[in-house]
Amino acid sequence: RWFGRGRWPTLTVEVRDMLKLSTFWMIVWGLKVMAARLILLPVLLESHASLVRALPMSPFLDAYGDTPGWQLAIRLQPHMLLRAALQALLWGTGGAIYLADTLGWYQLVLGLWGGISGVWMMGVPPIHPRHVFDGTFYDELKRRACAKLILSLASNEDEVAALTAAALKSSDAAAIPQHVSDAWSRLWSALVNDLYGSCLLSADERGSLIAQQAVTIKSAEGVRRLRFFARSLESDDMPASNGALQAAGMSVLVPVYSEAILPQVPREWLPAAIGAVDDTDLAHKHVHSIETLRFLQSKFDLEYHELVRRLGDTRTFPTAHHRLMRLRTWAAMRLQTVFRTISGMMKHREALEMLLHEELPELSREEHQTLVTLKFRLVVAVQTYANHHIDASKSNAMDTHSRADVKLMLERYPRSLAISYIHRVGDRFYSCVIDGTQLDASGKLEADPDHPELLRPTYKIELPGFPILGNGKSDNQNMAIPFSRGPIIQAIDCNQEGYLEESLKLCNVLREFDICIPGGSPPAIVGFREHIFSGLGTLGNFAATAELVFGTLVQRTLSRPLWSRYHYGHPDVMDKLVLVAQGGLSKATKGLNLSEDVFAGMDAQLRGHNIVHREYFQVGKGRDMGAISILQFFSKLSQGTAQMSTSRQALRLGQRLSLGRLLGFYYTHIGYYAGQLHYYHASYLMLALAFVGCLIDATGVVPGVAAPSLALFNRLFDAISLLFFSFNLLPSFFAFLIDEGLGAAIRKPLKAICTFSPFFFVIQSRCIGHYFSNEFAVGGAKYISTGRGLAILHTPFHEIYVTHAASCIYPGLELLGLLVGTGQLAMSGGHSLNLWSVGFASITPAALLLGPSLFNPHAFGTPESIQDLRRFGIWLFKPRSSKPSYDACHSWADFYQEFADSRRSVKAHAFLLPSKEMLLSLPLLMTSYVAMAPYGWGAGQVFILGTPIIAAIAIGFLIMPCVAIYAGVRHDFDFSHAMANASAFGLEKIAAGLVLFALVLETRHWETLDDMGLATMPPSLPFEHGMLLLAARYFSFRWTCNVGLYLVAGMNKRAGELIAARPENAQRQPYACLRHVPGAMCYVAALTGAAHLFLLDAMLGLSIQLAFLLVGCIPGTRRGHYAILGFSKKVREVAEEQRVDMQFSTAGTLKWLNLKNVLEREREYTARGAVRSAGASARRPTMHATVAAAQASQAAARVAEDAATATDGAQADEGAAQAAEGGALDAENATRASVATDVTQVFARDSTQRTADQDYFI
């Protein structure tokens, strides 16, 4: 009676949404507060009390009195200061843990909430073979498709009711009207034919699917697309279609910069079915590499064999040109190309035309096409189609072959495809569009009479000035908006693709903008999910899984209940009128809008519009597949979020959003990136507290402080690490559970753990935190072109080192030192360590030091390791490049100058801000002062320990006179000039030698320094004291070098400002003194810091490379490494073949070997290539000599065959023998000539660079 219907008032949708939002955050903060109250706070209070008991003040107060003066004097004693430092470090660590676990609890609840709601909405796929399609599948698909996709074909309300009921009950499948059933059969046949045209189905499979017979499909991609199409029609969020005729018009906007449109394939890879092809047909700027095509052939072997079979059909492909184009399109459709995007998005037009044909069968085909042209347009914003450079004397237009590809696209899709671009004519800029309507008398596309290299634009809009204000992409999109059609725009990137079966849902998608959100207006932005088709290997799977989780589970929860979903790029569909009212599709201010997409959602929220997320529609998307490119992508996101947090949109959202939505906005954007930084700080501080406490206790300065210092590490480090890995793995479990079933949900996360996914999560988290904080500290965020190539090639170690030194390798070294030092001190002091905490703590330094190289293909190959050592040596000793901008991969001097120049925008007093070096060096130096007092140390020795004064004096007396003479000749002294000249003359390396000399002087000749009153190292010290001095020196040197760097940058900036304000100040005091005397001191300080960094980089790089070289000598290591990278057997064969090609390539070996060895290696390579070609026809050698020999042999065989068919028997036999002999001689001569030509040309090209490289290496 109490719970019957009508007993309780029905809650409105708004109230339910508010309760869900409040419940979500109550769970998050309830878990957090409970963990802090029951776990964190008791440990902190207990450790604080133990530190107080270790050195109480009461005995001193009893002895000297309880007066304020004595209290102050006692508190200023070194022992009391150290206790206070440990207490401050203890509570600082607790605060870092409290901040770090907030993101963990949020991510954990987000994963659970989104996973459970997804299971509730969509269920779990039944356990059955996914590749098998039977009658049940066809019946269910037909019922749902008729009710959702073609409901508008129903002629009356009874048929509408019958279709709706048929979608709910399987027993009513026969109630579908016959004309609707026939329409679906035609749509289904077109869908199957599209899959067949993509080489995803065989002829037998196509026939069975069209006939709706039971069939097993071999192609995994075909199975995935059909399964998702069928399941998506079950979604309750999917509105029924009103038909293509009633659907709103829309445009798809694709920005393109310099991406390849339709790359060419090299002649060496052409199959025999292609036939003879002219060289003019193969000429192109963008050509697929042999390695890439070999990979495609091995990865998509079934589809490739199907393609080769079809190329033999002369009726479909009558000429070699047609067969070549089919081969190009096949390769382009399996890589991240613009052609793949355009052809996929044009499926929208094909689907609309099919639906209109079913709705209006009485219209002609031309009328259908005209109607579709009015409803749909694909606008490709090709930014570089014409020259629009800001400098009139330069050009940034694309090449002739790429323009030919643009013309080919317009000819392939004569309707609904428009090319927009920016064109500079004189001092004026125009936004132009080519829509294929400007034809000449012969019906072909007409050239621009003023610019014959371009096609004639249909419309031109003069712009008020240079239009590129941001990073290019956002301006490119906004310039194309005037040429769009209809009130709806879909944002698509140039590395995506569309599917015909998804385009059939386009009318349902457009219907979303006609339905009001409960309690509000229709949405302004409708977001959809993406399928990552670039999941190659372990890293590709990591990126694909992350995108799957974010595009489904995360955005589902952000949309509801958090109401915090914004615009995250593609494939969101947006209301164009809303976009135009708020300033365009993207924001385009350089230095603020690096992440340009998110601002469209932020502006929409500020204007009161709604944003929703749906999962019944998807497009394909390519992602980065290499370790460096993936982490650079996250670094771009981190820097963009840091910039976004300083924007006025973020300020206004913070002022106007309610608490629940504000928390959702924060932890989705700023809080996520700041939380990664807090996790690193918490891990670092727990280890630092344990290390410093054990050092103070072991050296006898303050006995009894080791146990309370180890408490946080022993009791909380494992829990924090488990929380971190849980919120990284739990969402993927639910995402796979909903999409693929329970088996995949268990198997794939376990496989990820076995392939070192924790290492990758740690590296990713550290890179996010580093670049996020670095943007706030020094700025300098810029667009990073990551590239989306195949991750099967080896990256040189010095490039990996340059990319990850500051973000991963330096922190990994410090964490390793802290962990090892803590373990040694704890064992020597009799203190126990939690093995789980030690195990989890070991993951972070191992991942940061070894992870970047671990995910590099062929990292354990001996030839690659030796070559990396050589390149690293050249990189260390090579002078700075002559280019105006720095290239960190060119030399260590460029690497350091880029690092130093990033501090130029920072004020000189920035060194006063707290850093981990400062926070650790001060207590360590104070401990050294107290611990070394019995050995006769005083303040002078501690000063020498904490500052590189001896090295600086040596550098000043030996190097500065040369610099002063040079400056006198130039009549100028500027730090930037001095550092540039230092890099040019290699003075950092000389300074590094002086630093080594100073270290030897301090450690080996301490007696001499003792006589001078500068003793720094007693003859014999306990182990604990030696570790104390080593740690104090490292952290204090890091701090003093950073201080010198900030002072130098700030002083030069200040001097430049004063002189720029009044040029006469350059010759007046005190400004001349500001430029000379302090400048010289700053130069010495900077050079000293550079020398120390050079030594650190050299030792670190060599140690890491030697470790990989030694491990690579163990049998089976390379095979195990391939398994970690997730390379299949076929991909592994391609990778091994590339190793041979790289190892025996002429251009690569000529730099290190003489001509004789090159010829021997070339012959060996040719022999191996012949063996490989005989064993497997798919493996084709790539060297010029082998290709020439093969062509000559084929010519000889053809001559012999022609001679054998002659009518005169004896003469024919004799002629055939002579022809065969001549052909063999021609082949041998061609081989020798090709090898000699290759060697001569490469030797002439590389001899100068080889000599310079060897000189610098020596």
Side-chain angles (χ1 to χ4, degrees), residues 881-1056:
S881 63
S882 58
K883 298 179 181 179
S885 59
Y886 301 117
D887 182 8
C889 294
H890 177 266
S891 66
W892 181 91
D894 289 84
F895 169 67
Y896 176 75
Q897 285 299 310
E898 186 178 29
F899 170 75
D901 281 3
S902 65
R903 268 65 182 168
R904 286 185 176 272
S905 60
V906 182
K907 299 293 184 181
H909 58 265
F911 73 91
L912 297 175
L913 297 175
S915 62
K916 62 179 183 296
E917 291 86 4
M918 176 194 294
L919 296 177
L920 289 179
S921 60
L922 291 178
L924 288 174
L925 288 175
M926 191 179 301
T927 305
S928 301
Y929 177 78
V930 178
M932 298 301 293
Y935 297 94
W937 276 40
Q941 286 79 5
V942 175
F943 177 76
I944 295 174
L945 176 69
T947 57
I949 186 64
I950 297 179
I953 292 173
I955 291 173
F957 277 105
L958 295 179
I959 296 180
M960 283 308 297
C962 301
V963 178
I965 294 173
Y966 180 79
V969 173
R970 288 177 50 93
H971 303 287
D972 181 30
F973 193 92
D974 193 329
F975 172 71
S976 59
H977 295 158
M979 286 306 297
N981 295 323
S983 300
F985 294 112
L987 294 185
E988 298 101 335
K989 290 77 179 180
I990 302 176
L994 294 176
V995 169
L996 286 176
F997 172 75
L999 293 175
V1000 173
L1001 182 67
E1002 292 180 34
T1003 55
R1004 297 297 182 185
H1005 301 282
W1006 69 274
E1007 297 92 347
T1008 305
L1009 296 176
D1010 188 32
D1011 297 337
M1012 300 169 58
L1014 299 174
T1016 59
M1017 188 67 65
S1020 60
L1021 276 178
F1023 168 77
E1024 294 80 5
H1025 288 69
M1027 184 174 292
L1028 170 63
L1029 297 181
L1030 180 62
R1033 163 146 289 190
Y1034 174 81
F1035 288 105
S1036 59
F1037 271 32
R1038 286 288 306 273
W1039 182 37
T1040 53
C1041 290
N1042 287 339
V1043 168
L1045 193 60
Y1046 280 112
L1047 286 176
V1048 167
M1051 185 168 293
N1052 279 275
K1053 182 180 180 182
R1054 178 59 178 165

Side-chain angles (χ1 to χ4, degrees), residues 1075-1093:
R1075 297 187 68 203
H1076 289 271
V1077 178
M1081 297 175 62
C1082 291
Y1083 172 64
V1084 171
L1087 197 57
T1088 306
H1092 283 86
L1093 184 60

Side-chain angles (χ1 to χ4, degrees), residues 176-370:
I176 299 176
Q178 185 61 39
H179 68 282
V180 177
S181 178
D182 294 341
W184 166 245
S185 298
R186 289 187 290 269
L187 293 177
W188 172 249
S189 298
L191 191 156
V192 173
N193 287 328
D194 178 75
L195 293 174
Y196 177 76
S198 301
C199 297
L200 299 179
L201 298 175
S202 65
D204 295 338
E205 292 170 348
R206 181 184 65 165
S208 300
L209 286 174
I210 293 177
Q212 299 187 8
Q213 299 173 353
V215 62
T216 300
I217 298 178
K218 298 179 181 179
S219 172
E221 176 65 11
V223 171
R224 184 199 64 80
R225 287 173 54 175
L226 289 175
R227 289 294 179 187
F228 178 81
F229 177 65
R231 284 204 73 202
S232 64
L233 298 179
E234 302 177 18
S235 174
D236 295 333
D237 293 331
M238 183 178 182
S241 171
N242 281 342
L245 185 63
Q246 299 295 327
M250 72 168 297
S251 296
V252 177
L253 186 54
V254 182
V256 177
Y257 182 64
S258 59
E259 292 82 3
I261 299 177
L262 185 60
Q264 185 58 270
V265 295
R267 182 180 295 275
E268 294 82 2
W269 193 69
L270 296 179
I274 296 292
V277 180
D278 296 334
D279 292 337
T280 56
D281 292 338
L282 295 175
H284 204 282
K285 178 183 178 181
H286 301 282
V287 181
H288 293 300
S289 65
I290 292 293
E291 293 80 6
T292 300
L293 296 173
R294 285 175 182 169
F295 162 76
L296 292 180
Q297 186 176 346
S298 61
K299 178 71 174 178
F300 307 101
D301 53 347
L302 294 176
E303 301 170 20
Y304 178 76
H305 291 313
E306 181 68 19
L307 170 70
V308 173
R309 185 190 65 79
R310 297 183 191 181
L311 290 178
D313 186 359
T314 56
R315 293 176 300 175
T316 307
F317 307 104
T319 64
H321 177 74
H322 290 87
R323 291 188 287 273
L324 176 63
M325 288 301 302
R326 184 65 187 96
L327 184 64
R328 291 177 64 186
T329 56
W330 182 88
M333 289 297 291
R334 280 146 186 84
L335 294 171
Q336 301 182 38
T337 59
V338 178
F339 175 81
R340 183 174 191 171
T341 304
I342 293 177
S343 60
M345 290 302 109
M346 288 302 293
K347 299 291 179 63
H348 287 353
R349 176 186 172 86
E350 184 180 350
L352 288 174
E353 189 172 350
M354 290 163 52
L355 292 173
L356 280 174
H357 177 73
E358 299 299 337
E359 294 179 24
L360 303 172
E362 65 276 5
L363 298 183
S364 64
R365 178 177 176 81
E366 184 65 26
E367 291 173 330
H368 283 146
Q369 292 183 351
T370 303

Side-chain angles (χ1 to χ4, degrees), residues 440-507:
D440 56 15
S442 61
K444 297 182 179 181
L445 294 172
E446 184 179 2
D448 191 343
D450 298 328
H451 304 278
E453 71 277 7
L454 307 177
L455 296 176
R456 184 173 183 176
T458 305
Y459 302 106
K460 296 173 65 175
I461 302 174
E462 185 174 357
L463 303 174
F466 183 64
I468 307 300
L469 305 176
N471 296 299
K473 176 184 175 181
S474 50
D475 307 282
N476 198 15
Q477 288 177 318
N478 292 333
M479 291 299 105
I481 289 180
F483 307 120
S484 60
R485 187 184 301 277
I488 306 299
I489 284 183
Q490 183 180 21
I492 292 294
D493 207 349
C494 62
N495 63 331
Q496 297 188 260
E497 70 168 334
Y499 311 117
L500 180 61
E501 65 273 13
E502 299 302 313
S503 298
L504 291 175
K505 309 171 192 173
L506 194 59
C507 299

Side-chain angles (χ1 to χ4, degrees), residues 794 858-871 1105 1109 1112-1113 1118 1136 1139-1140 1142-1144 1149 1152 1161 1168:
H794 180 76
H858 316 302
F860 294 98
T862 302
E864 289 83 1
S865 299
I866 296 175
Q867 187 73 0
D868 282 348
L869 282 170
R870 291 168 172 171
R871 290 171 177 170
Q1105 291 181 89
L1109 180 60
C1113 296
R1118 194 165 65 246
E1136 284 291 336
R1139 290 183 69 248
V1140 176
M1142 180 182 67
Q1143 182 178 356
F1144 293 101
T1149 54
W1152 304 106
R1161 291 291 185 93
R1168 292 194 179 194

Side-chain angles (χ1 to χ4, degrees), residues 156 164 327 369 391 441 449 451 562 614 740 759 890 999 1043 1125 1128 1184:
N156 52 56
T164 305
L327 184 64
Q369 292 183 351
D391 188 352
H451 304 278
L562 297 183
R614 301 290 184 251
E740 302 182 31
F759 274 39
H890 177 266
L999 293 175
V1043 168
L1125 295 180
S1128 63
H1184 302 291

